[in-house]
Every structure is written in structure tokens, then in C-alpha cells.
Amino acid sequence: MKKIKFLLILMLFFAALCNVFGQEKSYPFEVRKTGNGSRALIFIPGFASSGEVWNETIAKFENKYTCYVLTMAGFAGVKANADASFTDWEKEIAAYIKNNKIEKPVIIGHSMGGGLALAIAADYPELPGKIVIVDTLPCLAALSDPDFTSKENNDCTSTINKLSAMTDEQFRQMQNQSIPRLLADTSMQETVIGWSMKSDRKTFAKMYCDFSNTDLREKIKSIQCPSLILLESFFINLKPSIEGQYKNLKNANFQYASKGLHFIMYDDKEWYFNQLNNFLSAH
């Protein structure tokens, strides 16, 4: 009887263990997986954007690659996490790649997503096969202030309070003013504004503040994989400053769009697809 009791307890113990460890780890992003190629592409959208920003790109590449499309927690209607931070998101994307045994993916990031791609490639140089950075700088703040240094314990409280206090109408007005400066394709402006409107306001404010304080200029010297840096057309006028920020990045290929604004995948589509095709097919 004692033996049966002991076996029963043992079985219950193992069942409990399986229940704990069998649960899938949760990440601070949603993933949409499509395609089934032997090589993988991981797409990270920019600030307050949905993974849908990559829809046309995925349509072009999912027949050859397995595509993992992220939408970060708190952005574009995805449920927010309590403590969003750039470093936590970086760490969790790297963990997702490792845990899912995704071999040498090409990480493609736009805007803040490009910043995350740079950070991952720098801190986990063994993970990516290549990276594509779509209109991102290692340190956004240094463009207007070359002597910028990031704060150790950056307090985002005032930014969070200010944006949280806005009414939906005030917030929409702010987006109506800012998005046309980032996106020339008028047919997509309302979609992008909609993603911001559906974003959690606290996450929006915290990540805006956090990314504004991010400086990857020194860190990127650890990156070992080939890097394609796609930049909006206006940045050709700031070429020395832009490429100066990237001076520590080895094996980088800089390309400047011929037209349009920050959302290069919408504003200079043909050029963008050509650049991606050439870079992905090169060995």
C-alpha cells in the first residue's frame, strides 16, 4: 500500500513538473510565422508599428524563406506588458531565436526595430547570419547633438505622464501632424496612424523615451555578420554624420533611397526590394 502511495505521489509530482515546464514561454511580442524555406527572416517593425508593415515584403520572400514577423507588446493593439524596455525586448527576441533553434536568421528591422536588430547582432554576434537595417541610426539623439551621452538611469515618468494625460483626440492630432513627415505614401498614412492609436499609451511613451536615450555607436563594433543599411533619401545630405555613427560597424553596405521618407518599404518600394534581393542572394 505504501509503495502504491509513493508511486502515486511520484506520478503527481512528475505531472506537475510537466505542467510547469510544458507551458510555452511568453515573450513581449506576438509572432506570425509564414513560409517554410530552409533559411529564416525575422522582421521587427518600428516604433508603434504592426508587423503588417512588412506584408508586401513577406509576400515577396515567403516562397523562399521562413518568415517570423513580430509585433511588440503594447504596439498596434497587442496586449501591453507591465515593464517595457529596449534592453528587455532585445534580450527576449534573442531568447526566442535560441529557444526556437532558428539557425543564422537574417534579422530585418525598421526604425526602432532596426535598433533592436543592431543591439541583438552586437550582444549575440553568433545569432544572426545577416542584418538589414531600414532607416535607423545607432544613436538618434546624436544627430542633433553630437556630444550626446545616454543617461544611466533615465527617468521616463514625465514623458509617460504627459502622453497618458492626452485625450484620444489630442493624441490623434499629434499623430496626424507627425506621420506625414515620416511617410510620403498618402494611401498608407491612415493605417500607420491607426497603429499608433491602437498602441498602449504608457508603452508608447516609455519606449519613445527609452529609445531616445539609446546609444549603440560603441556597441556595434562587436557585430560580425554582413549588414545592409538602407537609409531614406534625405540622409544623403548628412552622409558624413550618418556614416560617422556607423564607423565601428565592420562589413556594412550603405544604400540611400532615391525618394520618399522614413517608411522606405512604402515610399521607394522597387528600390527597396532590389536592395533586399541583392543582399539576401549574395553569399
Side-chain angles (χ1 to χ4, degrees), residues 3-267:
K3 195 175 179 185
I4 292 169
K5 212 172 191 180
F6 175 73
L7 283 171
L8 199 61
I9 290 165
L10 208 61
M11 281 165 70
L12 286 169
F13 174 71
F14 279 114
L17 269 185
C18 290
N19 190 38
V20 169
F21 292 112
Q23 286 172 0
E24 205 173 319
K25 175 178 159 49
S26 67
Y27 297 91
F29 45 83
E30 273 186 2
V31 184
R32 179 164 58 96
K33 187 180 173 187
T34 173
N36 57 2
S38 57
R39 290 174 69 200
L41 306 178
I42 294 175
F43 293 93
I44 313 173
F47 180 73
S49 284
S50 163
E52 290 171 19
V53 76
W54 303 110
N55 279 358
E56 287 174 89
T57 310
I58 290 146
K60 290 264 184 196
F61 292 102
E62 66 185 347
N63 59 336
K64 283 189 191 169
Y65 298 87
T66 300
C67 300
Y68 297 83
V69 188
L70 312 189
T71 302
M72 303 312 294
F75 285 167
V78 173
K79 190 175 181 296
N81 282 18
D83 296 307
S85 78
F86 184 86
T87 50
D88 182 57
W89 283 4
E90 177 211 334
K91 192 175 85 217
E92 291 295 304
I93 296 168
Y96 180 84
I97 295 168
K98 288 179 195 171
N99 295 343
N100 288 277
K101 297 179 170 54
I102 305 169
E103 288 295 315
K104 296 285 181 189
V106 179
I107 306 176
I108 303 173
H110 173 236
S111 194
M112 187 173 73
L116 286 163
L118 284 171
I120 293 162
D123 286 333
Y124 308 89
E126 75 290 352
L127 281 187
K130 292 179 176 182
I131 56 172
V132 180
I133 307 303
V134 185
D135 215 37
T136 306
L137 299 178
C139 184
L140 197 59
L143 199 58
S144 50
D145 175 13
D147 300 320
F148 172 83
T149 51
S150 55
K151 299 182 188 85
E152 188 81 25
N153 295 303
N154 193 31
D155 185 4
C156 292
T157 313
S158 64
T159 310
I160 292 167
N161 291 344
K162 187 181 167 189
L163 282 169
S164 300
M166 282 184 168
T167 64
D168 281 356
E169 194 43 56
Q170 287 169 327
F171 187 69
R172 173 173 271 280
Q173 213 171 345
M174 184 179 84
Q175 294 309 107
N176 284 348
Q177 286 171 348
S178 62
I179 296 303
R181 296 186 198 134
L182 303 171
L183 174 59
D185 181 351
T186 51
S187 71
M188 290 308 299
Q189 285 174 2
E190 192 49 48
T191 300
V192 175
I193 289 167
W195 293 336
S196 292
M197 294 306 296
K198 281 192 283 184
S199 293
D200 172 68
R201 199 73 64 78
K202 188 180 175 186
T203 307
F204 186 101
K206 172 65 165 59
M207 294 310 296
Y208 177 81
C209 170
D210 204 6
F211 189 51
S212 301
N213 188 52
T214 299
D215 185 353
L216 305 171
R217 287 174 293 180
E218 194 58 36
K219 190 195 274 265
I220 57 175
K221 67 180 175 203
S222 311
I223 296 175
Q224 292 166 12
C225 65
S227 311
L228 174 64
I229 316 295
L230 301 179
L231 297 153
E232 65 180 89
S233 56
F234 176 74
F235 279 159
I236 195 79
N237 304 306
L238 307 170
K239 199 170 189 257
S241 308
I242 303 287
E243 295 184 17
Q245 282 206 21
Y246 276 108
K247 69 173 188 241
N248 288 323
L249 181 62
K250 307 175 282 284
N251 207 357
N253 173 4
F254 295 93
Q255 298 293 334
Y256 294 82
S258 51
K259 60 182 181 185
L261 300 169
H262 180 57
F263 281 79
I264 297 172
M265 68 285 283
Y266 294 144
D267 286 345

